[in-house]
Amino acid sequence: MLNENGILFDVTLCVGCGACYDMCKEVNNLPETNDDYLKDHLSGNTFTVVEQYEEMYARKLCMHCNDPACISVCLVGAITKSSTGAVVYDADKCIGCRYCMQACPHSIPRYEWGTTKPRIRKCNLCDDRVKAGKLPACAEVCPTEATLYGKMDQLIEVAKNRLKNNPDKYYQHIYGLEEAGGGHVLIISPVPFEQLGYVSKLPNEPMPELTLNAMEKIPSVAIGGGIFLSAMFWLTKRKNEIAKEKNLLKGNKENEIK
Amino acid sequence: MKLNDMKIHEIIKPTFWKVVSVIIVTMGLVSTYSRFSLGLGSTTNLHDSVPWGLWIGFDFIGVGLAAAGFTIAATVHIFHIHKYEPLVRPAILTAFLGYSVVVCLLVVDLGRPENFWHPLVMWNVHSVMFEITWCLICYTTVLLLEFAPVVLEKFKIKAPLKILKMISIPVVIAGVIFSTLHQSSFGSLYLIVPGKLHPLWYSSLLPVHFYISCIAAGLSMIIFESYLIARAFPTEDGFNHTGLKMDILSGASFAVLIALILGFLLKIYDFAENGKFPLLTVPSTETYLFFLEILIGTLVPIFLLSYKKLIEDKKWIYLTSVCVISGLVLNRLNVSITGLAAYSGVNYFPSFDEISITMMLVVLAIFAFRVIAKNFAVFVSDESENLVNEKEVATTKQIILSERYE
Ligand code: SF4
Ligand code: SF4
Ligand code: SF4
């Protein structure tokens, strides 16, 4: 995981220029969706947004979780983890159940509701560009290094140093490092994260574990249930037979007496 | 009476319900056409904040109410309580038609219905949805196998009957297991959204809640159905044995009572364990709906059924069954729609197309039930079976009531 790549987004450095938003649209061939990029929201045609909170700007995009809820719930395995660390989607496999949208703790995946061949849409951390040796579009274009792309261990290092060296400037928490099992997008900011519209109060264990606990019981329910039911079948059958035999005997005796 | 015996003018004679049904089905067909030609966006009220709506909610309800298919089959064929024999066929037919509606709705709801077969070849065993899909497929097959003898008997096809007889007990056992798994898994679907589902409903015990409530509601459904059937299929129409004997109804109601009490205790335990009681005093739509659900679906029926006088009175039993069914409907809608609304921040109400497709499928299922019940021996009286078997007892001294399932 630490060899994989990710993004560090530093709210204190972001000037809200929207270059990342524009470039993302460009490389992904996404149509324009809003005149004012600061007012736009994630959609089937927008993979990242820059939101304004007073003097601060906060980027929203897929967190590329380490153990993603979206991957664990997809019944056909249409969402997978790329070797780069990105969480990527294969529209050819998808059946469109939209469980991934429901399950994502950050509510990231969006849907192409308007078409008859809809796809799930979300940031894929520019997986193709990265594999071709380039930077993700947003990181490449960012003028202030507010969006930084690199190896996870290095990013964590940078983030920790910034928090340590400027304790007054930063709220002492790296968002995305542990939330929902952590992911490949880390965020540091001067204020608590719920003030910037990030989902707070997420548990630290990966979400799929919540389901795993229940799924683990399936084999024992199946086997135990099978044994129990077979036993009951045999026992109750035997019981009925004995009861009937007794009745018959009684009946015979009564007949004899008569 | 056989279908072909019916006079044409009898079939086309317009009655109120026939007209209504034809209208509903026509509207449903139009909606289905637009759903598939225009896509989900323009025909449903679903959007990014509400990815699941009425169709998924209705699947929850349909599967929950069809639960009697496995409970009754187990009671009769596994536990050998033959008193309930007359319920087996109606329960299996109900379950089969219920599941057919559910499967159709699932396909309609898929964004890519043409890929519906993908789960057969592309596996992700960590997905609850994957498990549910497979259980649905397997259980529907089980229901088919369980109902097949009725059809084969009618056409006097003997050869496959023998095989079916041989595998009947394993089939019933498999059916119970598949049902247990997917009934509870519908609850497991929501285990992964602790932050989204309202804590009144979110619980790590969701699968168990779902399982217990489906047993109570499934049985209630059969009780309620028997009432409707006795009214809708009068004896003059060629139907026999549609009315049920009192001891069967009371017995089933008693099972409902036990399941309700169990479910209620589990709720209390869950609330105590997670310190959720204070939530009950928060004034909000969720709280009111939760109270309504518990009151109608659990407390009132428990209260009514604990009176010996009422549990032996047909009318009260029907009334309680309606309560329990409404409770399940409310519960499933609360989990799948209301409980998530606060998080998504938007209100959702199904669109015309969503409603009309759902209604069409329900009407078609009722129609199918009627046709099948008319033409096949779905309702068999326990007395006639007893007679047959007593004769057998006399000749063979093999004393099992439901010979064909041994
Ligand atoms: S943020 Fe959501 S969509 Fe992105 S990887 Fe995590 S679970 Fe998947
Ligand atoms: S909508 Fe597609 S990608 Fe999402 S869980 Fe369903 S099949 Fe998988
Ligand atoms: S390009 Fe950089 S500075 Fe500009 S909005 Fe995006 S993250 Fe902020």
Side-chain angles (χ1 to χ4, degrees):
Chain A
M1 189 252 288
L2 295 179
N3 282 325
E4 293 169 357
N5 299 327
I7 279 180
L8 172 63
F9 174 66
D10 189 333
V11 176
T12 64
L13 295 176
C14 178
V15 294
C17 66
C20 49
Y21 170 90
D22 288 335
M23 192 64 175
C24 176
K25 291 229 159 197
E26 197 181 313
V27 300
N28 290 301
N29 294 321
L30 301 172
E32 209 177 287
T33 43
N34 204 313
D35 298 339
D36 183 355
Y37 65 90
L38 287 173
K39 298 233 163 63
D40 207 359
H41 49 82
L42 294 182
S43 70
N45 286 319
T46 310
F47 299 167
T48 183
V49 284
V50 184
E51 292 170 350
Q52 185 171 15
Y53 294 88
E54 288 160 18
E55 255 87 82
M56 290 169 290
Y57 299 93
R59 279 191 68 192
K60 302 284 155 66
L61 70 164
C62 170
M63 304 295 280
H64 298 278
C65 305
N66 295 327
D67 187 355
C70 59
I71 291 186
S72 91
V73 300
C74 179
L75 73 170
V76 291
I79 309 181
T80 46
K81 194 108 194 159
S82 153
S83 55
T84 62
V87 174
V88 294
Y89 165 73
D90 179 355
D92 290 334
K93 284 191 174 177
C94 177
I95 62 171
C97 67
R98 310 184 297 282
Y99 192 14
C100 50
M101 307 178 68
Q102 198 72 275
C104 169
H106 300 279
S107 299
I108 294 296
R110 298 293 135 115
Y111 208 48
E112 292 182 318
W113 295 100
T115 75
T116 47
K117 283 211 179 301
R119 287 171 295 178
I120 291 288
R121 305 294 267 159
K122 70 171 197 70
C123 158
N124 62 1
L125 212 52
C126 287
D127 201 44
D128 293 340
R129 284 172 62 95
V130 171
K131 280 187 177 146
K134 286 190 267 186
L135 283 176
C138 57
E140 185 183 283
V141 78
C142 180
T144 65
E145 293 201 334
T147 298
L148 199 64
Y149 184 80
K151 291 259 172 286
M152 281 311 290
D153 49 356
Q154 288 165 6
L155 292 180
I156 295 171
E157 205 47 45
V158 173
K160 279 190 176 153
N161 282 337
R162 287 188 192 167
L163 294 195
K164 204 166 90 194
N165 298 337
N166 305 289
D168 307 334
K169 211 170 134 195
Y170 289 101
Y171 176 72
Q172 291 294 314
H173 181 71
I174 306 176
Y175 186 85
L177 188 58
E178 279 171 343
E179 275 80 6
H184 289 58
V185 174
L186 307 176
I187 301 161
I188 50 179
S189 108
V191 295
F193 292 87
E194 59 267 27
Q195 291 182 25
L196 299 174
Y198 293 104
V199 182
S200 58
K201 295 203 206 94
L202 285 174
N204 279 349
E205 72 263 22
M207 311 310 271
E209 264 167 36
L210 293 167
T211 328
L212 213 61
N213 292 338
M215 297 283 286
E216 270 171 4
K217 309 219 165 65
I218 291 176
S220 40
V221 168
I223 296 168
I227 295 172
F228 170 75
L229 292 171
S230 314
M232 283 323 275
F233 169 74
W234 192 79
L235 280 176
T236 50
K237 185 173 147 188
R238 202 57 212 127
K239 204 182 101 201
N240 279 3
E241 274 172 6
I242 291 171
K244 283 277 164 88
E245 269 162 30
K246 266 193 193 147
N247 277 347
L248 263 189
L249 276 181
K250 239 198 232 158
N252 285 346
K253 267 184 198 153
E254 275 164 18
N255 281 343
E256 275 167 27
I257 293 166
K258 273 177 201 164
Chain B
M1 181 158 61
K2 280 184 202 132
L3 193 62
N4 44 17
D5 289 346
M6 276 196 284
K7 312 247 160 34
I8 294 294
H9 72 259
E10 238 176 69
I11 297 178
I12 54 172
K13 192 177 74 186
T15 62
F16 176 68
W17 286 111
K18 267 185 207 159
V19 174
V20 172
S21 311
V22 168
I23 294 175
I24 292 179
V25 172
T26 319
M27 287 191 318
L29 286 176
V30 175
S31 295
T32 313
Y33 176 74
S34 28
R35 148 71 191 93
F36 286 111
S37 55
L38 301 174
L40 288 168
S42 42
T43 47
T44 68
N45 283 344
L46 300 171
H47 49 85
D48 284 333
S49 308
V50 187
W52 287 353
L54 173 72
W55 288 334
I56 297 282
F58 200 86
D59 286 340
F60 281 41
I61 296 169
V63 166
L65 293 183
F70 83 92
T71 44
I72 305 252
T75 311
V76 173
H77 298 313
I78 309 282
F79 293 93
H80 293 101
I81 310 180
H82 294 292
K83 179 170 111 179
Y84 298 105
E85 182 92 46
L87 294 181
V88 173
R89 286 177 173 190
I92 288 175
L93 182 59
T94 309
F96 180 70
L97 293 174
Y99 276 76
S100 308
V101 171
V102 165
V103 169
C104 290
L105 270 184
L106 278 176
V107 173
V108 168
D109 185 70
L110 287 183
R112 292 280 190 109
E114 70 275 19
N115 289 350
F116 78 96
W117 51 274
H118 280 185
L120 297 178
V121 289
M122 303 170 188
W123 290 21
N124 172 15
V125 292
H126 298 294
S127 168
V128 182
M129 196 65 105
F130 176 78
E131 187 226 325
I132 290 183
T133 311
W134 270 93
C135 280
L136 280 182
I137 296 170
C138 294
Y139 187 54
T140 316
T141 315
V142 164
L143 286 170
L144 256 181
L145 291 178
E146 285 179 337
F147 197 70
V150 183
V151 181
L152 296 174
E153 266 169 31
K154 164 104 178 173
F155 296 114
K156 307 217 162 54
I157 308 172
K158 292 260 165 57
L161 260 178
K162 256 193 203 142
I163 303 171
L164 284 175
K165 218 185 264 176
M166 252 163 55
I167 59 166
S168 70
I169 290 305
V171 164
V172 173
I173 292 181
V176 176
I177 292 171
F178 289 135
S179 294
T180 308
L181 290 180
H182 76 265
Q183 291 283 1
S184 53
S185 289
F186 270 95
S188 310
L189 276 181
Y190 287 93
L191 288 177
I192 204 162
V193 291
K196 296 186 182 180
L197 183 58
H198 195 285
L200 281 172
W201 291 286
Y202 185 85
S203 151
S204 52
L205 292 173
L206 258 179
V208 191
H209 285 302
F210 265 54
Y211 187 58
I212 297 183
S213 57
C214 87
I215 291 181
L219 288 176
S220 301
M221 187 65 190
I222 287 298
I223 296 173
F224 177 62
E225 216 178 62
S226 76
Y227 167 73
L228 283 188
I229 288 165
R231 272 191 38 173
F233 302 164
T235 330
E236 312 95 68
D237 234 15
F239 285 103
N240 290 315
H241 323 303
T242 52
L244 286 176
K245 290 220 307 244
M246 209 45 228
D247 66 327
I248 293 185
L249 290 176
S250 303
S253 298
F254 189 68
V256 172
L257 177 65
I258 295 190
L260 287 176
I261 293 177
L262 270 182
F264 190 59
L265 291 179
L266 191 74
K267 274 254 148 81
I268 294 178
Y269 167 79
D270 175 38
F271 269 63
E273 188 80 342
N274 299 303
K276 292 201 286 191
F277 282 116
L279 287 174
L280 296 176
T281 57
V282 183
S284 70
T285 330
E286 283 90 356
T287 320
Y288 302 140
L289 282 168
F290 182 79
F291 275 125
L292 192 68
E293 169 196 322
I294 296 292
L295 199 70
I296 296 186
T298 312
L299 294 181
V300 170
I302 289 181
F303 177 78
L304 292 176
L305 290 178
S306 10
Y307 279 92
K308 202 167 168 358
K309 249 216 208 116
L310 300 188
I311 207 173
E312 278 165 1
D313 186 331
K314 260 190 191 173
K315 251 189 265 141
W316 285 103
I317 287 184
Y318 293 136
L319 191 78
T320 28
S321 70
V322 174
C323 285
V324 179
I325 293 168
S326 322
L328 180 116
V329 171
L330 259 174
N331 171 260
R332 297 305 195 259
L333 290 179
N334 279 339
V335 171
S336 64
I337 296 173
T338 330
L340 293 159
Y343 176 86
S344 69
V346 276
N347 280 323
Y348 160 82
F349 192 81
S351 71
F352 172 79
D353 288 327
E354 279 174 84
I355 296 174
S356 81
I357 293 181
T358 312
M359 280 174 54
M360 167 186 77
L361 289 172
V362 172
V363 167
L364 288 179
I366 295 175
F367 177 73
F369 191 98
R370 225 193 127 89
V371 170
I372 296 173
K374 232 177 178 165
N375 290 284
F376 298 96
V378 174
F379 298 100
V380 277
S381 93
D382 45 351
E383 276 137 51
S384 64
E385 293 228 345
N386 272 333
L387 274 179
V388 172
N389 282 288
E390 260 152 40
K391 261 184 232 150
E392 270 169 21
V393 169
T395 50
T396 64
K397 303 214 169 175
Q398 269 290 316
I399 322 117
I400 310 314
L401 188 64
S402 58
E403 184 73 27
R404 65 177 188 281
Y405 286 100
E406 295 310 310

